[in-house]
């Protein structure tokens, strides 16, 4: 309460005057004659928990034709005045009115202001209970507490996509208010981070503020490893926006070295996106050795793409030194091959010699293939062909047959990507021949699934479908077809994707695949087909999730009314028990 605050002596007389004004303003707000009390213009005159509280629209209906400013003030501050004036009976009567909740929802669909008023009512009940006794007021306290909990419980059912749909509809503040009602700290932070990133994508100016709030809240979920990814996203966004200290605060929150390195790596990426190369290099050097090699090579790749070739080579030398020092020279070469032109003439023999240190056949074969690609790009065709042949020989020597077939499939995929179609087809055929005769049923299915996935990645749709259909394991077959559907969706072949979705019989995978199809149809402005697909999803919350994504897609193509309709349907589904 106000009288429990420790105030400076100079403010005492203002507080006394304000307490009388609260009583007067609270009465006048009910009849539409008040504008604003001087106390609310000075936040120190009311208790912090009372700031920004809202009032029910049923009171405002008495304003008639009075100014919008006055009505909005009443909506925001009536309950604050009642609480600060200690007029608890009137406050309870207002909140207990049957129409109150409905009116609050019309005023603020996020229900945040309603939740804040319920918090005031609960605090008022506790204050009075000290004088009247807890037994008589316990039913009232329970009622307000249960009602407040029900708001959080309802919001807890919302999928993240529903919050993002609000952002897409231009209702970002409502999305933030709803996220604040989430009961689990980890879920609240994840959702706020997602909202902040969505706002940033829209170019709105509240994104950095929200992400900074996420960094301040990171301490509360430092033991939740599932939150690392979303906090890494937030840290990268903060670094890119120039809030490096806030980004680093997220990283130092974690004692776990994996979490710390992951978030620091994301900070490096954010700094690179902002062109802050020196700062990115400094952060990369704080990582543990293995992660530092990866981060430095990513940095070198970014510098090379930015035309800063000399700096890129310097960073590559540093990465090489770390890799060799920790006995992972071959891993350096695997990563170095991601940087165009990184294998210079003087380093070629060293790179080739490093192959001998790789004991694992699949890794050695893939590295041989990457080195061959580098040779081909440098115009050394003969050497490249010899290295490709060596990669295939290595792959064919691998045992068991499952690993042999999967490595061949990945080699063929790499060859297809660089345009070596004849060699790729030959190796794909060899991989399938080996896979089809594997004795163990699951190993055979796994090898075929890897082969189908590789075919999808190079858009060989018919071959991928044939291989997927031959998989003798329902789970792996479903996975192969789901990847085929997703690949077709990515290239806009939606009708074919619908046909390929039929063999997907796992309920969760089916919902995921159908959801992506529905969103793609919505983005293509084929709304009826999108809605028909959502009806095929049996899980109510998953259907709400998909409808929210459909709303986002519709908003993106300026189908605003249809987007609102889809969002409203999603919200009703999420709130239905």
């Amino acid at each position: 309460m106000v009288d429990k605050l420790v105030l400076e002596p100079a403010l005492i007389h203002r507080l006394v005057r304000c307490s009388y004004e609260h009583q007067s303003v609270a009465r006048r707000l009910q009849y539409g004659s008040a504008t604003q009390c001087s106390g609310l213009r000075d936040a120190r005159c009311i208790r912090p928990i009372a700031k920004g509280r809202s009032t029910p629209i049923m009171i405002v209906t008495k304003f008639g034709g009075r100014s919008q400013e006055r009505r909005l003030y009443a909506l925001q501050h009536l309950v604050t005045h009642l609480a600060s004036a200690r007029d608890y009976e009137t406050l309870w009567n207002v909140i207990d009115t049957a129409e109150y909740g409905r009116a609050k929802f019309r005023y603020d669909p996020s229900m945040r202001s309603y939740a804040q008023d319920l918090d005031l009512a609960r605090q008022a009940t506790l204050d009075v209970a000290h004088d009247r006794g807890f037994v008589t007021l316990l039913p009232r306290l329970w009622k307000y507490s249960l009602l407040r909990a029900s708001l959080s419980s309802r919001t807890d059912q919302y999928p993240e996509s529903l919050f993002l749909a609000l952002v897409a509809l231009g209702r970002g503040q409502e999305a933030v208010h709803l996220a604040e009602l989430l009961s689990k700290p980890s879920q609240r932070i994840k959702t706020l981070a997602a909202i902040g990133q969505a706002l940033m994508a829209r170019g709105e100016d509240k994104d950095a503020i929200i992400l900074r709030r996420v960094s301040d809240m990171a301490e509360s979920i430092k033991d939740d490893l599932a939150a690392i990814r979303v906090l890494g996203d937030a840290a990268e966004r903060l670094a890119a926006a120039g809030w490096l200290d806030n980004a680093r605060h997220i990283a130092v929150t974690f004692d776990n070295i994996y979490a710390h390195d992951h978030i620091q790596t994301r900070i490096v990426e954010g700094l690179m996106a902002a062109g802050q190369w020196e700062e990115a290099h400094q952060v990369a050097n704080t990582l543990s050795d293995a992660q530092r090699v990866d981060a430095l090579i990513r940095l070198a790749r970014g510098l090379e793409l930015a035309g800063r070739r000399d700096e890129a080579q310097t960073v590559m030398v540093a990465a090489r030194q770390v890799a060799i020092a920790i006995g992972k020279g071959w891993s350096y070469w695997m990563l170095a091959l991601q940087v165009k032109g990184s294998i210079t003439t003087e380093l070629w023999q060293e790179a080739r010699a490093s192959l001998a240190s790789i004991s694992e056949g699949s890794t050695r074969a893939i590295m041989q293939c990457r080195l061959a690609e580098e040779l081909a790009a440098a115009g050394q065709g003969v050497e490249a062909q010899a290295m490709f042949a060596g990669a295939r020989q290595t792959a064919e020597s691998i045992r068991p047959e499952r690993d042999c077939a999967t490595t061949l499939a990945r080699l063929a995929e790499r060859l297809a990507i660089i345009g070596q179609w004849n060699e790729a087809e030959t190796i794909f055929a060899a991989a399938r021949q080996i896979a089809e005769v594997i004795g163990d049923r699951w190993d055979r299915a796994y090898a075929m699934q890897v082969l189908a996935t590789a075919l999808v990645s190079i858009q060989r749709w018919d071959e991928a479908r044939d291989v997927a259909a031959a998989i003798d394991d329902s789970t792996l077959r479903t996975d192969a077809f789901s990847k085929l559907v997703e690949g077709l969706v990515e290239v806009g072949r939606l009708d074919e994707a619908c046909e390929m979705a039929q063999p997907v019989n796992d309920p969760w995978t089916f919902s995921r695949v159908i959801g992506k199809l529905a969103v793609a149809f919505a983005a293509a402005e084929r709304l009826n087909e999108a809605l028909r697909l959502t009806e095929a999803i049996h899980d109510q919350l998953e259907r709400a999730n998909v409808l929210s994504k459909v709303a986002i897609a519709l908003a993106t193509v300026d189908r605003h009314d249809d987007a609102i309709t889809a969002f409203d349907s999603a919200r009703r589904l999420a709130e239905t028990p």
Side-chain angles (χ1 to χ4, degrees), residues 80-282:
T80 297
H81 284 296
L82 292 172
S84 298
R86 300 177 65 92
D87 190 353
Y88 296 148
E89 293 294 341
T90 304
L91 187 153
W92 292 331
N93 288 335
V94 166
I95 291 182
D96 289 345
T97 304
E99 183 141 350
Y100 176 74
R102 292 191 294 272
K104 293 296 289 186
F105 178 76
R106 289 195 298 271
Y107 166 61
D108 176 13
S110 76
M111 300 301 281
R112 180 173 179 261
S113 62
Y114 185 27
Q116 291 171 332
D117 285 347
L118 288 171
D119 288 338
L120 274 179
R122 289 195 299 169
Q123 185 59 51
T125 305
L126 288 171
D127 291 343
V128 175
H130 288 292
D131 299 328
R132 299 187 189 177
F134 280 95
V135 175
T136 57
L137 290 172
L138 195 56
R140 182 181 296 279
L141 182 61
W142 277 354
K143 179 175 70 173
Y144 295 150
S145 297
L146 288 172
L147 191 54
R148 178 64 173 83
S150 72
L151 293 180
S152 293
S153 177
R154 185 182 68 174
T155 308
D156 286 343
Q157 297 299 311
Y158 290 175
E160 183 180 288
S161 56
L162 194 143
F163 296 91
L164 300 183
L166 280 170
V167 175
L169 291 169
R171 294 156 62 179
Q173 194 61 47
E174 183 179 340
V176 173
H177 288 170
L178 276 171
E180 296 283 10
L181 292 176
L182 293 168
S183 60
K184 295 181 180 178
S186 59
Q187 186 182 3
R188 190 183 318 130
I189 289 177
K190 292 175 186 178
T191 305
L192 283 171
I195 291 170
Q197 291 161 36
L199 288 170
M200 178 173 282
R202 288 172 57 87
E204 299 190 22
D205 59 0
K206 296 184 178 67
D207 53 329
I209 296 173
I210 295 170
L211 291 174
R212 287 168 66 193
R213 188 188 310 175
V214 168
S215 76
D216 293 338
M217 298 167 66
E219 179 72 24
S220 65
I221 61 166
K222 66 179 182 179
D223 296 325
D224 184 359
L225 294 183
I228 292 174
R229 182 182 60 82
V230 72
L231 287 174
D233 291 343
E236 180 179 347
R237 295 284 191 177
L238 283 165
W243 300 100
L244 182 56
D245 289 341
N246 295 93
R248 282 176 165 165
H249 175 74
I250 295 177
V252 301
T253 298
F254 288 90
D255 299 325
N256 179 284
I257 187 63
Y258 164 76
H260 180 272
D261 279 356
H262 173 78
I263 293 171
Q264 289 283 69
T265 299
R266 299 300 299 274
I267 291 173
V268 171
E269 293 175 1
L271 291 169
M272 288 168 54
Q276 301 292 322
W277 304 109
E278 291 184 9
E279 292 84 350
H281 198 171
Q282 291 172 3

Side-chain angles (χ1 to χ4, degrees), residues 413-434:
E413 179 183 358
R414 294 298 311 171
L415 286 165
I417 289 172
I418 64 172
Q420 301 285 335
W421 289 103
N422 292 334
E423 294 86 345
E425 288 179 355
T426 300
I427 296 178
F428 268 128
R432 182 169 184 176
Q433 185 177 6
I434 293 171

Side-chain angles (χ1 to χ4, degrees), residues 444-469:
R444 181 172 64 251
Y446 175 76
M448 295 288 280
Q449 186 263 347
V450 172
L451 180 58
T453 301
L455 288 165
V456 167
S457 72
I458 60 171
Q459 300 185 12
R460 302 296 288 265
W461 311 117
D462 292 338
E463 294 96 320
R465 179 196 58 206
D466 292 343
V467 172

Side-chain angles (χ1 to χ4, degrees), residues 516-533:
K516 290 187 176 182
L517 264 173
V519 171
F521 274 114
E525 300 191 56
R526 296 168 64 176
L527 180 57
N528 291 336
E529 290 154 294
L531 295 177
R532 185 163 57 249
L533 284 168

